[in-house]
Amino acid sequence: MVVRNPRFWLAVTAWWTLHGLILAIEGMTMRSAAGEPLRGFMHALAAGLVSAWLWIPLTAGLVALSERMPLEQRPLHRALLVHFVAVACVIVFRAIAVYVLNPFIDWYPQQPRLGTVLIASLVNNFLTAWLIVGVAHSLLFHRRSRERERQAIALEARLATARLQVLSNQLNPHFLFNALNSVAELVHHNPDAADRMLVALGKLLRESLDGSGKQEVPLREELSLLEQYVSLERLRLEDRLRLRWDVDPSLLSEPVPRLLLQPLVENAVHHAIGQRIEPGNVTVSIRRIDRRMLVEIRDDGAGLRPDSVEGIGLGNTRERLEALYGADCVLELLPAPGGIGTMARVVLPIGDRGMPR
């Protein structure tokens, strides 16, 4: 509850103290304008502050009641009745307090009857009490709105993390099946290469699964995994695979989505080299453009076909990028410069992004 917060008491005390000072100055000004004899400033200050400070516990009580039984609570008539009773108690309490303290504070020159003070308290305090109830409800609803907003943000982050984990879990079996298919191609005509490929595949899978709980890894680590994947493909394709690296060293510590490069290079190898006998070239280019990382995977294959369909690896990568960065990233397949082959182009933000890891 807000009344348990020391800052609440500090704010309420400061507010009513300021109100008491205003009452003291206002009282002296009104007496002077009416030609009445002025009392000392300390006397006027005491009268104003005591009158205002009486509201401090009453404010806390009304705020606590508003939190415990807000007017939105059902049944509404019961909550409304309780607040009316509370406001009535405030009016009576202030009337009794003024009646008892008047001989010492001298709000009234002559001691009035209790009924007179009670009527004055009703006139002076009824709207103030309900104003406090209204402000308390406004603060309550604002706090609830902020809490719901925080919960929604936290839920959205958890959902995004869960979705990313599902996508990552889909990517690992996809890669494994493709790698096993490559082993199956070798086992009949080159058993030694198939054996080396299985050993390398086990190492690669072990390293990739060790970081399966991470959504982003340093580019250096992602390139290491990619090199192991390329070594597997070279066992199958031998000299037909020609890979060229063009990586800006200043980007090696920047985070990138885990297993971002492997499906892009796999797609290039499959379409540019796997479908023909002669050697093919694949270029991995990673460089910085302003506050962006530009990743380009180019091949010199037959190029994009009008009826080509996006595979699991590329589709999965696209969904992961959208979940991680939203509209702040790009993944597109384009004709390679010069009109020969295909280029996969990825643009990522770099720097502090606050992405789920």
Side-chain angles (χ1 to χ4, degrees), residues 23 29 162 166 240 314:
L23 286 179
T29 303
V166 169
R240 291 163 57 198
L314 284 178

Side-chain angles (χ1 to χ4, degrees), residues 11-21 48-49 51-57 59 128 132:
V12 170
T13 301
W15 169 259
W16 286 116
T17 299
L18 177 62
H19 183 71
L21 291 173
L49 287 178
S51 177
W53 284 344
L54 287 173
W55 276 110
I56 294 177
T59 300
T128 302
I132 294 172

